[in-house]
Amino acid sequence: MRQKVEFTSGSHTLSGLLETPKSDVKFYALFAHCFTCNKDIAAASRISRALTAKGIAVLRFDFTGLGNSDGDFANTNFSSNIQDLIAAADFLRKQYQAPEILIGHSLGGAAVLGVADKIPESKAIVTIGAPSDAAHVAHNFSVHISEIKEKGEAEVNLAGRKFKIQKQFLDDINNYGTQHIGSLRKALLVMHSPIDKIVNIKEAEKIYQSAMHPKSFVSLDTADHLLTNKQDSEYAAEIIAAWATRYVASEIKTHPSSVKQGHVLVEEKDHKFAQHISTASHYWLADEPVKVGGNNTGPDPYEHLLAGLGACTAMTLRMYAQRKKLPVKHIKVTLSHTRNYQDDCSHCEQQSGIEAIIRNISFEGDLDEAQQQRFLEIADKCPVHKTLHNNVTVVSKLVN
């Protein structure tokens, strides 16, 4: 069902479209469109319809000065976009239910990243072809920047339409960096096309690296920036619906801040194989592959074990190389083991374990034979390696 809605943001009335499923609403989503676009752009409408078909209600609206919303675009900026999103969330909160997922396309993606901490009910964020910071949008009118700074404003042509950009817009976008992304504490899905000519995929990498877990990245393959191909937008919607349900319908119970430093908390997620894993600063998932009955939402237990050894090995070798001033540019550790979790677990009451861990170490750098041999010896001195060889006793207690 499609319903035209209106709400106020500051002194302006904004025009929106609320799409709701015929059946019960699982949760509400808020969609932010791209720079100088509107709520009716193909990507926004197609993604909204596809999400509605999955039981997710979606509100998309025109930012101030665009589409059917009041206001003068020349007087808007990224901060006003943030304010418009807060107003949209307030409208949903008062009239229906606060949005639990925020979806942003292009600059709208940067906007939902910037507003997420101001909408406490939001649990999941999706960016589609988004820049890592608001200032990236300036490249769309880079030839006019000098004129804007000198004259205070300039008329620019964006996607065949003329817009007036004022100096205050440039000043405003420079106030928003990427530092807030690392403190979101919300699930994040980054979607981007490797052939996006408007926003380079390196921006997606910046967002992903800045964010804490849980975070996911999905390539949109051959899609263009505006997802003009119907199949691309529908594919994006399918991924969003499946991913969001994992974090919204079944809210994460464990939170990194609730775990003591130096401790690890593991808690069931689906009462099957999937597990929440939290430390004082991080969160991620463990699971089993689909072929053995899991959903493959995270590394399996032995992959975690190998990851710990591999990470510790690489860190130890890097510290050694720096201390000895060795010309080592890059270190790579590849590990495998001879048993699998299913075999071990089927005989848990018996004494069984990994028979062998194969650790292949490669590096880029010019080391002589003696240095290479010492490099290999140092790998065996990493703390995790020593722990695995120390006949560690695991003390298990039942705690209510």
Side-chain angles (χ1 to χ4, degrees):
M1 184 174 69
R2 304 175 71 185
Q3 177 185 356
K4 291 183 179 180
V5 299
E6 290 185 344
F7 56 92
T8 58
S9 178
S11 59
H12 300 116
T13 299
L14 306 189
S15 174
L17 186 64
L18 179 63
E19 298 190 63
T20 55
K22 295 179 180 179
S23 57
D24 293 338
V25 176
K26 293 180 179 178
F27 51 86
Y28 283 78
L30 181 58
F31 192 103
H33 62 68
C34 51
F35 181 55
T36 71
C37 301
N38 58 59
K39 67 179 182 301
D40 298 317
I41 190 172
S45 58
R46 287 171 180 165
I47 289 176
S48 295
R49 285 197 297 269
L51 291 176
T52 302
K54 299 290 186 180
I56 304 169
V58 183
L59 172 62
R60 47 191 167 97
F61 68 96
D62 296 324
F63 282 116
T64 299
L66 293 171
N68 296 319
S69 290
D70 292 343
D72 183 354
F73 177 80
N75 295 324
T76 66
N77 50 39
F78 191 72
S79 291
S80 68
N81 287 350
I82 296 290
Q83 186 58 47
D84 289 350
L85 283 167
I86 293 174
D90 287 342
F91 167 77
L92 283 177
R93 186 182 295 110
K94 293 175 182 177
Q95 300 297 326
Y96 301 93
Q97 180 182 319
E100 296 186 74
I101 176 172
L102 308 177
I103 307 169
H105 180 205
S106 194
L107 187 62
V112 297
L113 288 171
V115 80
D117 64 337
K118 299 174 178 61
I119 305 176
E121 299 90 345
S122 63
K123 301 183 180 73
I125 306 165
V126 180
T127 65
I128 305 171
S132 59
D133 58 61
H136 181 275
V137 76
H139 86 280
N140 290 286
F141 46 86
S142 57
V143 296
H144 297 280
I145 290 180
S146 295
E147 180 184 356
I148 295 171
K149 290 181 178 179
E150 291 174 7
K151 298 181 179 180
E153 64 180 33
E155 190 173 72
V156 304
N157 190 305
L158 300 172
R161 294 179 295 161
K162 293 182 178 180
F163 295 89
K164 187 178 291 185
I165 302 293
Q166 296 182 348
K167 184 177 180 297
Q168 61 86 18
F169 183 93
L170 292 180
D171 295 338
D172 183 71
I173 59 177
N174 288 323
N175 291 326
Y176 293 87
T178 60
Q179 61 276 6
H180 60 285
I181 299 177
S183 58
L184 289 175
R185 303 298 185 190
K186 300 174 190 284
L188 173 66
L189 171 61
V190 180
M191 309 185 82
H192 214 111
S193 169
I195 61 170
D196 191 326
K197 296 181 179 179
I198 305 299
V199 179
N200 193 282
I201 195 169
K202 289 182 179 179
E203 293 298 307
E205 181 180 355
K206 293 177 184 177
I207 295 173
Y208 188 86
Q209 290 182 340
S210 298
M212 301 284 282
H213 284 288
K215 57 184 177 179
S216 305
F217 173 79
V218 172
S219 173
L220 295 177
D221 301 328
T222 58
D224 59 22
H225 181 68
L226 295 178
L227 274 67
T228 51
N229 187 309
K230 183 180 179 181
Q231 291 181 332
D232 291 328
S233 55
E234 290 181 346
Y235 170 73
E238 289 286 335
I239 296 297
I240 293 170
W243 174 86
T245 301
R246 181 181 303 278
Y247 295 105
V248 176
S250 180
E251 185 179 0
I252 298 170
K253 294 180 180 180
T254 56
H255 193 285
S257 63
S258 66
V259 184
K260 293 181 180 179
Q261 190 70 38
H263 290 223
V264 176
L265 174 63
V266 179
E267 187 174 1
E268 283 192 312
K269 183 179 189 299
D270 61 0
H271 299 96
K272 190 176 181 183
F273 287 124
Q275 307 291 324
H276 297 292
I277 303 180
S278 299
T279 66
S281 303
H282 302 283
Y283 167 83
W284 67 99
L285 292 173
D287 203 346
E288 284 287 357
V290 174
K291 65 180 181 180
V292 296
N295 289 314
N296 200 35
T297 57
D300 68 34
Y302 275 156
E303 287 172 337
H304 277 88
L305 176 64
L306 295 179
L309 176 59
C312 185
T313 301
M315 291 175 185
T316 302
L317 291 175
R318 173 51 61 194
M319 291 172 63
Y320 174 75
Q322 290 177 336
R323 187 169 63 251
K324 296 297 184 179
K325 294 182 171 52
L326 299 177
V328 178
K329 298 178 181 179
H330 186 71
I331 299 170
K332 182 170 69 174
V333 183
T334 306
L335 304 101
S336 61
H337 59 81
T338 60
R339 286 183 179 269
N340 62 59
Y341 182 71
Q342 287 292 315
D343 288 344
D344 281 353
C345 228
S346 63
H347 303 91
C348 286
E349 67 280 2
Q350 300 176 13
Q351 188 108 18
S352 69
I354 300 173
E355 292 182 348
I357 293 178
I358 310 301
R359 178 174 54 184
N360 294 317
I361 303 168
S362 59
F363 64 91
E364 295 177 13
D366 186 16
L367 301 184
D368 59 34
E369 186 173 343
Q371 289 174 321
Q372 291 184 37
Q373 182 59 39
R374 182 57 178 162
F375 209 56
L376 184 61
E377 292 173 0
I378 293 298
D380 290 345
K381 296 182 181 297
C382 93
V384 173
H385 181 105
K386 290 182 177 180
T387 297
L388 291 174
H389 282 270
N390 277 347
N391 296 320
V392 177
T393 298
V394 178
V395 180
S396 301
K397 299 178 180 179
L398 286 177
V399 180
N400 290 329

